[in-house]
Amino acid sequence: MSADQEQRTIRCLVAKVGLDGHDRGAHVIARAFRDAGFEVIYSGLHRAPEEIVQAAVQEDVDVLGISILSGAHNTLVPKVIEGLKEYDAFDDTLVLVGGIIPDEDKEELLELGVAEVFGPGTPMEETVEFVEANAPER
Amino acid sequence: MNAAAETELVEELLAGKHRALARVISKVENRQPGYRDIVSRLHEHTGHADVIGVTGSPGAGKSTLVDKLAAHYRERGRPSA
C-alpha cells in the first residue's frame, strides 16, 4: 500500500504445541527471527492448540511458527488452523510448521493451509527469507 | 492505511472481533499512520460505562471480589471488563 508498510516490523509467534518437550529448535528459530529484526513471542512448552490460537489472535501476529517433533502434527495443526479460522485470523496469518514431519504428511499440512514445512537442517536464511517474502500485507 | 480499511477495522472491533481489537492495539502502540483517526472514531463509542473502584489492604480480597462482581454482572447480561 504505502511506503510505511515495508518498514513495519514482522511479528512472529513461535509455538510449541502438545506434549513434546524439546524446544531447542524453537529457541534457535526464535533467536534467528529476532536477529533478523522480527518481533518474536515464544509460547513456552506444552501449550494447547486453543492457547496458541488465543495468543496468535490477541498478539496480532503476522507469522505463526509451530514446532512439533513428537509426530502429533496431524492432530494438532488442524486444531490450530480451525481455531484461527474461527477468529477470522487465518487469512492474514502465515502459518509455518517446523520439526520432524514425514514427507507423506507434508502435503496434507500444506493442503490444510500451512504455508511451508521446514525440516531439520533447513538453513536459517531460507526460513527468514521465506517469512520476509510471504508475511501478509496489512 | 486507507479510510476504507480503517472503517472496516473499526466496524469489526465494534462487532466484538478479537483480531480487530488486537490489530487496533498494535496500530495505536506503534503509532502507525491513521491511528489518531481510529482512536477518534472509537472515542464516540466510549463513556457510557459505570466505573467502579475497589480499594483495600493487601490480601483483603479485592481481586476475588472483582472477579465475583464481573461474573455476577455478566450473568445479568451486563458486559463488564
Side-chain angles (χ1 to χ4, degrees), chain A residues 1-18:
Chain A
M1 282 191 272
S2 56
D4 53 80
Q5 286 279 313
E6 284 176 33
Q7 288 179 349
R8 190 179 58 89
T9 318
I10 297 173
R11 283 167 73 82
C12 309
L13 173 64
V14 176
K16 286 293 304 185
V17 206

Side-chain angles (χ1 to χ4, degrees), chain B residues 23-40:
Chain B
R23 181 80 36 97
V24 168
I25 292 173
S26 305
K27 284 189 183 298
V28 174
E29 268 180 0
N30 299 333
R31 300 176 184 232
Q32 277 174 26
Y35 85 95
R36 283 178 171 276
D37 297 332
I38 296 180
V39 172
S40 61

Side-chain angles (χ1 to χ4, degrees), chain A residues 5-7 10 51 60 68 85 91 96 100 103 107 110-111 115 121 125:
Chain A
Q5 286 279 313
E6 284 176 33
Q7 288 179 349
I10 297 173
E51 289 176 295
D60 183 31
I68 300 183
K85 284 183 177 161
D91 291 334
L96 308 175
I100 312 292
D103 287 342
E107 283 306 314
L110 295 178
E111 267 170 40
E125 304 83 61

Side-chain angles (χ1 to χ4, degrees), chain A residues 8 61-63 91-94 131 134-138:
Chain A
R8 190 179 58 89
V61 294
D62 306 291
V63 182
D91 291 334
D92 54 7
T93 306
L94 181 72
V131 169
N134 295 285
E137 289 272 331
R138 292 209 175 147

Side-chain angles (χ1 to χ4, degrees), chain A residues 97-124:
Chain A
V97 172
I100 312 292
I101 312 292
D103 287 342
E104 59 262 38
D105 292 348
K106 192 176 158 179
E107 283 306 314
E108 210 172 306
L109 292 179
L110 295 178
E111 267 170 40
L112 265 177
V114 173
E116 190 53 274
V117 175
F118 295 102
T122 309
M124 207 55 74

